[in-house]
Amino acid sequence: MTGSAEREKGTPGRLAELLIDASTEAIDAAGGHSGGVYLRSNTPGLLRLAVLAGLPGPLFRPWGRLHADSKFPVADAYRLGVHVVLPNATECMRRYPQFAASLPFQFGSLYVPVSSGPTTYGVLTVLRPSAPDATEVLAGLDRMTRLAEELGTALRELEEEHKDREDGDGPFVVWDGEAVCVQATATYRPEGRMARFVWDPVTTAVTGDGALHALLGVEPATALDSAQAIADIVAPGDTYQVMAALRATAAGKPPPLPLRVRAADGSIRLLDLWTPATGPVPPGAGPPVSGVVLDPGAASTYDSAADLLPEGVFCLDRMGLVTYANPRAARLLGRDRDELLGRPLWEGVPWLNQIGCEDQLRGALLSLEPVHFHVRRPDDPGRRTEPYGGDWLSMAVHPGRDGLTCTVAPSNRVSGPPLPVLPAHADGNGAAADGVTSLAPLYRPIVLAIALTEAVTARQVSAVVMKELLPAFGGRRLAIYLLQDRHLYLAWENGFPQGFLTPFDGVGLDARIPGVETLTSGRPLFFDSMQQLAEAYPGIPLDAEEGARAFLPLIASGRPVGSCILGFDRSRSFSTEERAVLTALAGLIAHAMEKAQRYDSEAALARGLQQALLPRRLSAHPQVDTAGRYLPGTQGMEVGGDWYDVVEAGDGLALVIGDVQGHGVQAAATMGQLRSAVRAFALGDRPPDEVMSGTNHLLIDLDPGQFASCCYLRLDPASGLVRVARAGHPPPLIRTPDGRTRVWDIPGGVVLGVDPHAQYPVAELRLEPDSILALYTDGLVERPGVDIDDGIAALRVALAKAAGPARAGGRSLAGVADRLTTAARHAADRPDDIALLLAARRTKPGRHP
C-alpha cells in the first residue's frame, strides 16, 4: 500500500502515522518550526515528500518530488547516506546553489537519512531559524539522528509485517501521492490557558503538568488520578464524549479532533488527543494517550479589541488557515468574515493567489522575519463591500513560531514594480490544469541556469533540461536536436513513442517541419493542441491525438545550435509569461549545448591521447604476473591523468602508478611526460628515491601548473625483495598466500611538482611467493562523504575475496583485476578516473595475462 492508496481509504494509515510522529518530534528536537519526511517512490530514482509539518502544502508543492541524483540536500542525504547540515542561507548557497535559488530566504535546515541496515527509506528533514554556524544545531542533530534511526527500524518492521501478511514481493514503504500536511507541535504556552496530561489506559493513571489544576480551576491538592476525574471537571456535561474519545484514541481510532466541550460555567474548551503509533492494539490494552486542554476564552477578549482597530488585521496558522480577521480586513479583502475564517487564505481570497504573494508568505514562514509588500486588488473581486477600482493595498506579514499576523491597509503610493500575477489558465491553487505551478516562471530561469553550469557534456545538459524544465511546466516529452553539416541530428529523447523520431533524425534545413523552421527562423513555435499543429503542418506525423507542443530554437551568440521540443500530454495554452520564460531558457540551453560540444571535442582528443600513452602491453618476467586496468571518469572531461606501467629495471621489474591532478588534454599530456620520465629512470635501474626526486624536478621545470602523486616499486623476482618510494600516493596493499591482506604503511614524501627539495624515503620488504601487490589510484577508494581510509579498508576486503584460496590455485591475476573494478565499471557516476596495477610473484615460471 502506498501513500496515495492510504488516503483513498480515508485514513492516514500506519505508515503516515509513523512519518507524522517522527516529523513533529524532530521539529521539537532540533528547535525547528517545520519539517517533514521524503520517501522513496515506485518510480526509480524519484523521492516524494510524504509528510509536511508546519507548512501549507500548496505553497511548497514544487518541492514535493526530487530526483535522487539532483543537487539538493535531500538527494545527497538519501543517495550518500550522510547528514547534511545547512545552518544558514550562506552555507546553503555555497553548497547547494540550486536549492538556495529556489528558496532564497534566511533559514537553516537539517537532513538525516532514514535507514535500517542496507535499506534507505527516505530522509527526515527539519527547517529552523538561521544560525551563525553548525555548532548551534549539533545537539538537535544528535536527537534528530536518534529519531531517524527509530523511524528506520519501525519502517523495516512495517515492511516485514506487510510481506508476512500479504506475501508482497515489492517494496511497501514507498510514497506515490501528494504530501500529508499537518500542524507542527505548537510552541506557545499561555500560562493558565493550556495544560497537558498523559493517560495510561492500562493502569488508568493520569499525569498532568503544572498548569492543569490552574486551568481546571481546582485546588492544587485535588487528586486528578483518573481520566474520569479530569472529564468530570473539564466537561461535566460531556463526560461520556470525553471518555469515548480517550478510549477511541487509545485504540488507534481517534474521533475528529479537537473536541469542543463545555465547562461547568458554559464556556467552550478544546480537547486535543493523540497517541504514538505502535501497531495493532490488543483488546483491553493500549498505548498512553497524550492530551491538551485549551481554554480559548481569553482569546475572545483579544479578538474583540482587534475588531475595533482602524487597520485591517487577520491571522493565519502555519498551515495557511485564516484563524481571525477583523471587520476592516474583511472589507479591504472584499470578503465576509464567515468566508475567511477556517479556510486557506488562497481559497478565502482567491485574487491573493499570485506569484509574489506566495513568495512573500514562503519567506515569512521559513525565515520568521517580517515581510512588507504591495498588492493590487482586482477591479472586481466578486464582492464589493468597499469601493474597488484596481487600487493598491499595503500588506505586512509578522511571523511567529505558531502562525502569522498580517496587516492590510490602503496604499496610494507603490514603490517598486507590482507583484507578478498568475497566468490566466491557472486554477485557484496556483497550478494550471496540466500541473504547472506558479513558481515556474519566477524561479526556473535561475535554477536551470545554475544546474546547466555543472553540466559539461551534451548528455548531461539534456538530462538537466529533462529534470528541471519538464517538471516545471508540466511537460512529459523532450527531444533535443543538434545542428551538424546543415542537418539536425537527434541528441536526446524522452517520452516519445519508440521509433517515432527516427525519420526526423538527420533531416536537412530545407525540410518544412516545425523543428527545423523554429531554428531557421529563430522564432519559438507554440501549439496549444495537436489539431493546431496538424493545421499548421498538413500531413506531418503526430505522436498523439491529444496534447500541446513547444518548439524552441537553440541559438547561442547568434549561431544556430539546434532545436528543442517539449511535449505535453493534454491540450493547454501558453501564457505570455511562459512563452517569454521558455524562450529565455532556450537561450540558456543553447549556450550550455555549445559549451558541451566543445567539451566533447576536447574529451575525444584527450581520450585518444590517454589511450596512446597508456601501455599496450606490460613488460613480462617469467616469475612475475602483472595485470592493469584503467577506467575513465564519467563526469566532466571524463579523461584524467591516471597511469600505470611495468618496466624492465636491470634484472628486476619496476612497477609504477601515478595520478596527475585535473582532467582533460592538459592532464593527459602531463601524464605522458611523467610516464616517459619515470620509464627512462627505471630503464637505467635507478633507486626508487632517485626516480621520485628526478621526476619531481622534471615536473617543476616543466611548470604545467599541475602536481601529481606517484608510487614506484622495484621488485627482484628471484629474492622477492621490494623497494618502494611514494609521493603523496595511497599506500600499496599486500595479500599473502594465507589469504590475509594488509596495508603496506610506508613513509612517503609530498606530491610531485611542489617542493624541489622534497625527500622520498625508501622502504623494503620481502614478498613471499604467491603474494599479490596491489597499486591503485584514489578514484578506486574515494567516495563523496566516505573517509578514504574506509575505502582502502573495503578494497582490502575485496582483494581477499577476489583472489580466492591459494591452495586451490586461486584466480588469474586478470580475473582478480576485473573483480576489483566490477562495481566501478557498472557505476553510472564516476567522478574520477581509476587505475589499478596488480603484481604476483610466482615460485615457478608462469604465464602473463
Side-chain angles (χ1 to χ4, degrees):
M1 183 186 301
T2 63
S4 58
E6 289 166 353
R7 283 191 301 281
E8 288 172 2
K9 291 179 61 178
T11 59
R14 172 86 169 126
L15 176 57
E17 290 177 7
L18 290 171
L19 303 180
I20 291 169
D21 287 346
S23 300
T24 54
E25 290 181 27
I27 292 170
D28 289 342
H33 48 65
S34 52
V37 179
Y38 280 85
L39 279 189
R40 60 189 183 175
S41 70
N42 279 312
T43 302
L46 183 67
L47 301 176
R48 300 279 312 233
L49 182 60
V51 167
L52 180 63
L55 290 173
L59 292 188
F60 293 87
R61 188 179 292 117
W63 296 269
R65 56 175 68 189
L66 293 171
H67 286 272
D69 59 351
S70 61
K71 301 296 184 181
F72 274 63
V74 169
D76 275 1
Y78 177 83
R79 187 180 68 257
L80 304 177
V82 298
H83 296 172
V84 178
V85 179
L86 304 174
N88 49 52
T90 301
E91 182 68 6
C92 183
M93 176 59 76
R94 185 182 70 83
R95 296 177 57 186
Y96 297 97
Q98 291 183 52
F99 181 49
S102 64
L103 287 172
F105 310 117
Q106 292 293 330
F107 67 97
S109 52
L110 308 174
Y111 307 84
V112 178
V114 178
S115 307
S116 180
T119 303
T120 300
Y121 297 104
V123 177
L124 181 62
T125 178
V126 168
L127 309 183
R128 67 181 312 281
S130 182
D133 53 56
T135 58
E136 290 194 15
V137 303
L138 293 182
L141 180 65
D142 290 341
R143 293 191 291 271
M144 189 173 163
T145 301
R146 290 194 293 271
L147 288 169
E149 292 172 351
E150 294 171 1
L151 177 59
T153 300
L155 294 181
R156 185 196 68 229
E157 294 173 351
L158 186 64
E159 195 157 58
E160 290 173 351
E161 290 174 8
H162 172 73
K163 289 179 180 178
D164 293 341
R165 189 169 57 249
E166 305 290 343
D167 193 25
D169 55 356
F172 172 66
V173 180
V174 294
W175 199 271
D176 288 311
E178 295 296 326
V180 173
C181 299
V182 297
Q183 287 278 11
T185 304
T187 57
Y188 180 49
R189 301 288 184 267
E191 184 64 30
R193 294 185 57 234
M194 181 181 293
R196 291 176 174 267
F197 66 89
V198 177
W199 171 59
D200 188 332
V202 178
T203 65
T204 71
V206 173
T207 304
D209 64 9
L212 186 59
H213 283 79
L215 185 144
L216 298 180
V218 298
E219 295 295 328
T222 302
L224 299 174
D225 53 1
S226 69
Q228 187 67 52
I230 293 181
D232 289 340
I233 300 175
V234 171
D238 298 310
T239 300
Y240 175 81
Q241 183 183 5
V242 173
M243 294 303 299
L246 285 167
R247 295 189 187 99
T249 303
K253 300 177 181 179
L257 297 172
L259 291 178
R260 293 172 60 89
V261 294
R262 289 194 176 274
D265 60 2
S267 61
I268 295 295
R269 284 177 179 167
L270 302 180
L271 180 64
D272 201 358
L273 305 171
W274 69 93
T275 182
T278 56
V281 179
V289 175
S290 296
V292 168
V293 181
L294 173 66
D295 177 6
S300 299
T301 303
Y302 303 141
D303 291 353
S304 298
D307 283 352
L308 303 176
L309 291 175
E311 186 178 45
V313 177
F314 63 96
C315 300
L316 311 175
D317 67 9
R318 290 193 61 84
M319 306 303 291
L321 297 179
V322 180
T323 58
Y324 167 76
N326 71 357
R328 177 63 167 163
R331 286 195 298 272
L332 290 172
L333 297 175
R335 311 293 287 177
D336 290 337
R337 293 177 73 178
D338 291 343
E339 295 175 316
L340 293 174
L341 296 178
R343 301 182 65 185
L345 179 63
W346 38 90
E347 291 182 10
V349 191
W351 61 267
L352 276 179
N353 187 29
Q354 303 179 19
I355 297 174
C357 291
E358 289 183 357
D359 202 37
Q360 299 292 343
L361 289 175
R362 271 191 289 266
L365 286 164
L366 293 179
S367 68
L368 302 185
E369 294 291 332
V371 297
H372 304 267
F373 60 98
H374 293 84
V375 62
R376 189 171 187 173
R377 297 186 295 190
D379 290 337
D380 185 4
R383 195 172 296 267
R384 295 172 181 254
T385 55
E386 186 161 300
Y388 274 81
D391 49 341
W392 290 85
L393 297 176
S394 173
M395 301 191 70
V397 181
H398 302 271
R401 294 182 64 87
D402 299 323
L404 307 174
T405 300
C406 310
T407 61
V408 55
S411 176
N412 296 322
R413 243 179 115 177
V414 177
S415 58
L419 297 177
V421 297
L422 281 175
H425 62 274
D427 63 21
N429 293 321
D434 57 357
V436 179
T437 68
S438 59
L439 176 80
L442 189 63
Y443 283 135
R444 284 300 163 179
I446 303 173
V447 175
L448 183 64
I450 294 173
L452 287 175
T453 62
E454 301 178 0
V456 294
T457 68
R459 184 174 183 83
Q460 290 171 348
V461 171
S462 301
V464 167
V465 175
M466 186 183 71
K467 293 177 182 178
E468 297 292 345
L469 186 61
L470 282 185
F473 290 88
R476 296 292 184 269
R477 305 182 186 193
L478 170 70
I480 293 180
Y481 287 84
L482 296 181
L483 180 64
Q484 182 178 352
D485 298 329
R486 294 188 57 79
H487 289 76
L488 285 174
Y489 293 93
L490 184 63
W492 180 279
E493 67 169 304
N494 182 77
F496 285 92
Q498 185 175 4
F500 173 77
L501 295 177
T502 301
F504 303 101
D505 191 13
V507 68
L509 293 186
D510 56 349
R512 189 179 182 275
I513 57 175
V516 170
E517 292 195 357
T518 188
L519 179 62
T520 55
S521 67
R523 295 184 296 104
L525 303 175
F526 297 95
F527 299 96
D528 296 350
S529 66
M530 301 303 286
Q531 181 180 354
Q532 279 190 6
L533 177 59
E535 291 174 354
Y537 294 88
I540 189 172
L542 301 177
D543 57 297
E545 295 181 0
E546 296 292 334
R549 296 291 181 267
F551 297 83
L552 308 174
L554 302 182
I555 300 175
S557 303
R559 293 186 298 273
V561 175
S563 57
C564 176
I565 305 172
L566 302 180
F568 304 84
D569 289 343
R570 287 179 287 181
S571 300
R572 55 158 296 169
S573 60
F574 296 90
S575 68
T576 302
E577 294 87 351
E578 287 175 323
R579 291 174 184 242
V581 169
L582 286 171
T583 303
L585 292 180
L588 294 177
I589 297 168
H591 280 284
M593 276 295 183
E594 185 183 47
K595 181 187 69 174
Q597 289 177 314
R598 291 197 300 268
Y599 268 100
D600 288 341
S601 299
E602 185 178 348
L605 175 61
R607 277 193 296 271
L609 182 60
Q610 176 91 359
Q611 292 170 359
L613 294 175
L614 285 172
R616 294 183 179 273
R617 66 177 184 84
L618 302 178
S619 296
H621 191 281
Q623 287 184 264
V624 179
D625 289 345
T626 56
R629 297 291 183 267
Y630 172 78
L631 298 174
T634 58
Q635 296 181 2
M637 285 304 300
E638 298 184 357
V639 178
D642 288 18
W643 91 94
Y644 62 86
D645 207 351
V646 179
V647 187
E648 295 181 8
D651 56 357
L653 285 180
L655 310 173
V656 60
I657 195 165
D659 182 1
V660 177
Q661 169 224 6
H663 296 80
V665 174
Q666 181 62 51
T670 302
M671 177 272 284
Q673 293 172 311
L674 293 184
R675 176 174 177 263
S676 298
V678 173
R679 191 174 185 86
F681 287 129
L683 288 171
D685 202 13
R686 302 277 291 276
D689 55 335
E690 293 186 18
V691 174
M692 288 290 95
S693 295
T695 308
N696 179 48
H697 284 107
L698 173 66
L699 185 57
I700 292 175
D701 291 342
L702 292 173
D703 191 22
Q706 294 173 304
F707 58 83
S709 68
C710 187
C711 186
Y712 180 92
L713 293 89
R714 202 276 187 187
L715 169 63
D716 182 355
S719 65
L721 179 66
V722 179
R723 306 184 73 233
V724 60
R726 67 186 181 112
H729 201 82
L733 300 181
I734 299 176
R735 184 189 186 275
T736 56
D738 60 5
R740 291 182 296 177
T741 59
R742 64 184 177 91
V743 178
W744 188 6
D745 194 8
I746 55 178
V750 299
V751 293
L752 305 175
V754 175
D755 181 7
H757 306 293
Q759 299 295 315
Y760 300 97
V762 176
E764 296 182 356
L765 66 69
R766 201 164 296 276
L767 192 66
E768 301 177 60
D770 293 324
S771 295
I772 297 176
L773 270 171
L775 306 178
Y776 52 93
T777 55
D778 55 9
L780 188 59
V781 293
E782 274 192 329
R783 293 292 181 273
V786 179
D787 191 275
I788 190 172
D789 291 336
D790 295 335
I792 294 174
L795 182 60
R796 279 184 54 200
V797 174
L799 178 61
K801 294 179 179 178
R807 63 178 179 274
R811 296 184 176 89
S812 69
L813 210 59
V816 174
D818 288 337
R819 289 176 67 88
L820 292 180
T821 55
T822 295
R825 283 200 312 272
H826 291 89
D829 186 14
R830 287 196 303 271
D832 199 1
D833 48 348
I834 293 170
L836 172 69
L837 178 61
L838 301 179
R841 179 174 173 245
R842 305 301 185 193
T843 54
K844 297 179 180 179
R847 294 183 303 171
H848 310 286

